[in-house]
Amino acid sequence: MIRQLATAMILANLVVVPIVSAQVTPSPGAAPGFVNTLMPQPSQLSQQEGRLAITAAFQTVTDNFKDDRLNAAIERSLGRIKNQAGVAIPTTPVTDATSAAMVISVDGAGETIQSAEEDESYSLEITPASAHLRAATVVGAMHGLETLEQLIQSDAAGPFIPAVSIHDTPRFRWRGLMIDCARHFMPVEVIKRTLDGMASVKLNVFHWHLSEDQGFRIESKAFPKLTELGSDGLFYTQEQAREIVTYAHDRGIRVVPEFDMPGHTTAWFVGYPDLASAPGPFHIERAFGVFDPVMDPTRESTYKFLDTFIGEMAAIFPDHFMHIGGDENNGVEWKANPRIQSFMREHNLKDTAELQNYFNQRLLKILEKHGKHMIGWDEILTPELPKDIIVQSWRGFDSLAAGARNGYRSILSAGYYLNLMSTAAAHYAVDPLPEGTDLNAEQQARILGGEACMWMEQTSPKDIDSRVWPRTAAIAERFWSPRSVNDVNDMYRRLEVESLRLEGFGLSHISQEDVSLRQLADTREIGPLQVLGSVLEPVTFNARAHLQHANQLTPLNLLVDALPPDPPSRHNFELLTRAYLQNPGERAQERRELTAEFNAWMIAQPEILRLMSGSPPLAQAEPRANQLIELGMLGLEAVSYLSSGLPAAPGWKAGKLAVLDDAEKPQALVRFTVIGPLRDLVNAVPEAPSRR
């Protein structure tokens, strides 16, 4: 919880990139009709002349290296192209290259155990006669296939691939998504569809947070009480974990497990109290936050336990890295334990930070013994640790840069905390290497990339998709595409298309809202609730924590849990209002659209109240329904004044701004998305001079 609060404050102070339009180079004579909806944008894209039609004769051949992993990727991709185009193309590669419409040329398998050094580049050459995908590795070919799928378009003549030339390579080598499965357990099917979404936007690291105070989530056969007593029966078997690792590998994604230590370890101690620095008794924590229980770093038995456990996990997770967490140890139990204090004096450890560094150095040797490198949060960074560790920064770019200056490789997560309910635009503006950084080239190379983080205090398997997607696609573009690709309006345009693509992978981020509204209202007739939902989103993480005081057992079944953060209507309403205000007297189309929107709010309100009266969970948001009609009336008045050019009465503006101020206050755990544009409308209305 402390990290969440601190990260929210850091977000406002992060260095952001300037807004520059994405560049696509059209060739002279290029055929019209190509609409660029690629996400992430390639590093180089040139539009050519013509198009490649997709017909039943569209066959694919691999003319160089091939293996089962590549063949499976090709079959998945061709199957999706078949469904998208509505044409019965062959979904397995053919052997006769002379009849193939698409040639896939791959040099080799790539690394046996994928790493951050894997060559992920590819090129695509699409002409009216054929498509040619070239890549050095199977992973690069997978990325090229994802781009190929995104290129497909249709018009009256049928489905086609526009003629383009693409040469693409990622800007950053580490492009991750962290899912916290410890605070609220996420079933295997959730993880798999998340991995499919990650592959679509070219993320390459799944950071799997598997242990916390609230639960230990993976089976240990060496220490079975970790899950028998520490998981509420909600955990992954070793067979399921291996299945996830294979599923991810088949999509070019590494799996980095996290076992948080020495703090955030209460669930370990329920079954194995001898690991702890204080006597207990211990239970699975239901509340969220930072707790005192912490591993005892002075006992040899602690390291013997961890040696066995890490060896067991290393056999399941082949990645070169294992995440140790290492964050938010408050040191209370170490300070209160006389034996630990004596140990610190004997070893000249002046404070608990030095004792944790001692623990990390002992832990590092165990990791190295089992062929793993260490990765951890900011708190692990000390000069005594070797330079081959990776520091994951939740504190911000300054911490990230300090590590790079001192020779440490780093990844950025500050600014990419999805659970904070920030907009896609806010995440998109944060850059692991912002323009104007004073890091030299060698230091910049140590910043490997970043990870989006989805912490689960306020999230369940039911709504996780809407919390992760589609905003993560915008973050993925920041990690992959050139820094200059950062036009927010264009990002949102393409994000709407990518969101639909992601739904095709089985993700429920779009459908979940209506499903939840139907369940809350106990009816199929949810049109009025959809109107209300279109202008609402969850309050921030911190506001919800303050207002609700939820714990692990709190049902997540309120209106806030049905609504996605940063719904498309938010940005669309901003654009509509901005366009209207350019010239209210002349913008008839925008005036009609705004008027229709405001009328819809007012018309829906009585039926919203009726639906809420029969649903206690919905009834909590009744004040928002009452405010909706006020906002609709306010909007209609503002548009009327602005379109007619007539001034409002003295004091009108102050009264309406007071209404907006009241509507902006946190209430019912949801917030209006339209307050800013409405305030712009009100402020633009002229007032008649007051008469004294």
Side-chain angles (χ1 to χ4, degrees), residues 15 165 473 565 678:
V15 181
S165 176
L678 286 174

Side-chain angles (χ1 to χ4, degrees), residues 187-197 243-244 247 251:
V188 168
E189 60 268 21
V190 171
I191 303 301
K192 285 186 174 180
R193 67 180 185 244
T194 299
L195 290 166
D196 285 329
E243 181 183 348
I244 290 297
Y247 194 90
R251 287 151 181 79

Side-chain angles (χ1 to χ4, degrees), residues 259-288:
F259 305 103
D260 214 340
M261 57 183 100
H264 287 294
T265 40
T266 306
W268 299 61
F269 305 153
V270 180
Y272 297 93
D274 289 347
L275 289 171
S277 297
F282 299 101
H283 61 273
I284 297 172
E285 289 290 351
R286 302 305 180 188
F288 302 120

Side-chain angles (χ1 to χ4, degrees), residues 69 240 293 295 588:
R69 187 185 184 204
Q240 288 173 322
M295 287 181 176

Side-chain angles (χ1 to χ4, degrees), residues 220 222-223 303-313 366 370:
S220 169
F223 303 107
Y303 302 106
K304 183 178 179 181
F305 182 103
L306 292 175
D307 186 12
T308 302
F309 174 77
I310 288 171
E312 184 181 21
M313 294 299 108
I366 295 172
H370 296 288

Side-chain angles (χ1 to χ4, degrees), residues 458-460 462-463 466-467 512-521 529 532-533 536-539 543-545 547-551 553-564 612 615-622 667-670:
Q458 301 169 358
T459 303
S460 71
K462 183 178 176 181
D463 64 3
S466 71
R467 273 57 183 144
Q512 180 260 332
E513 179 178 356
D514 285 356
V515 170
S516 296
L517 290 177
R518 284 192 290 269
Q519 291 175 346
L520 285 166
L529 290 176
L532 177 64
L536 292 175
E537 66 179 350
V539 296
R544 182 169 185 176
L547 293 169
Q548 189 179 31
H549 305 291
N551 62 35
L553 303 180
T554 301
L556 300 175
N557 64 343
L558 300 175
L559 179 60
V560 62
D561 301 301
L563 301 177
M612 286 182 168
S615 170
L618 278 176
Q620 297 180 32
E622 183 177 319
Q667 194 170 10
L669 304 180
V670 292

